[in-house]
Amino acid sequence: MKLKPAAALFFLLVIAACNNKPAGDKTEAPKTGDSKNPDSFNAVFDSMLTAYDSLRTAFINWDTVAADKYAAALQLCLISVPYEQLHEEDAATRATSIAQNAADALQTLINIDSINNKRRFFYTASESIYHLVKTTGYDKTVIYHIKCPMAFDGNREGWWISKVNTIDNPYLGKFHPTYKSAMLECGIIEDSINNMQ
């Protein structure tokens, strides 16, 4: 299948963003402060979290085209993170497995049509990425674990992560058929991961 020029350009930019340095550049990534993980790991992990945030925004906006696009970008970033650079081999092995589970959920998200079904796999990927943050000991920012108590059918909860402690609900979003944008700020911060020490 041939990619359209805009799609090809997008994926080239994603690949560049998910790699810690341009091809041919052998210099180390600049220091970003004290971290137990290498800067090269943190740079790609940061790109992965940015791709996740773009996917979350697509769901807030009820935009299935953008959701598919950013799910593909996130999937690529997840498998581009150099987990082998983690200091503990067990953590690297677990992180690789968790990332693959998230990438598999994102592939299913891309393959189905209904935005409600896509949200179910967004939830699966979100939970995997939450556990990925914990497993890797990512320590460049606080990560919030947020619950929507009525994400599915109005009575089943769904979770997401965020680098900010404000609520922008990707399950109910801005254009819900019943609530419109009234439930955009519906959510509860249940946990935060703060490894910055």
Side-chain angles (χ1 to χ4, degrees):
M1 180 173 94
K2 282 186 89 173
L3 286 177
K4 293 182 180 175
L9 178 61
F10 170 76
F11 283 107
L12 286 173
L13 292 173
V14 167
I15 290 167
C18 292
N19 289 312
N20 59 331
K21 49 192 174 267
D25 185 354
K26 302 295 181 195
T27 59
E28 281 293 313
K31 285 286 182 193
T32 54
D34 293 334
S35 174
K36 69 176 192 166
N37 294 323
D39 288 347
S40 54
F41 172 89
N42 287 330
V44 186
F45 205 88
D46 288 342
S47 295
M48 184 272 295
L49 291 173
T50 298
Y52 174 86
D53 193 53
S54 295
L55 177 59
R56 184 177 62 83
T57 300
F59 280 112
I60 290 169
N61 293 326
W62 286 72
D63 187 339
T64 56
V65 173
D68 288 348
K69 177 172 111 175
Y70 291 118
L74 176 56
Q75 187 180 45
L76 181 59
C77 286
L78 275 163
I79 60 176
S80 298
V81 175
Y83 301 106
E84 70 280 358
Q85 292 181 4
L86 295 173
H87 295 295
E88 296 177 18
E89 189 175 331
D90 286 348
T93 301
R94 282 194 315 273
T96 301
S97 177
I98 293 167
Q100 187 59 58
N101 289 340
D104 291 346
L106 291 165
Q107 187 59 54
T108 305
L109 184 161
I110 293 164
N111 290 341
I112 56 180
D113 292 331
S114 160
I115 192 163
N116 291 327
N117 287 332
K118 287 180 184 293
R119 281 191 170 100
R120 293 182 192 282
F121 289 95
F122 169 74
Y123 167 56
T124 302
S126 294
E127 286 299 278
S128 291
I129 294 170
Y130 167 70
H131 291 293
L132 188 61
V133 171
K134 292 177 88 169
T135 299
T136 61
Y138 175 76
D139 58 6
K140 297 312 296 177
T141 190
V142 177
I143 300 293
Y144 298 94
H145 194 217
I146 307 170
K147 176 176 76 174
C148 172
M150 49 190 291
F152 302 107
D153 304 320
N155 59 9
R156 288 186 49 227
E157 58 195 33
W159 300 77
W160 76 94
I161 63 168
S162 180
K163 292 188 277 186
V164 295
N165 64 0
T166 54
I167 309 293
D168 286 318
N169 189 316
Y171 296 102
L172 302 174
K174 294 180 178 177
F175 304 105
H176 191 278
T178 303
Y179 308 117
K180 307 303 180 211
S181 64
M183 301 300 280
L184 180 60
E185 296 176 7
C186 173
I188 305 157
I189 296 174
E190 291 280 325
D191 186 25
S192 61
I193 304 170
N194 183 357
N195 294 315
M196 298 187 298
Q197 286 145 18

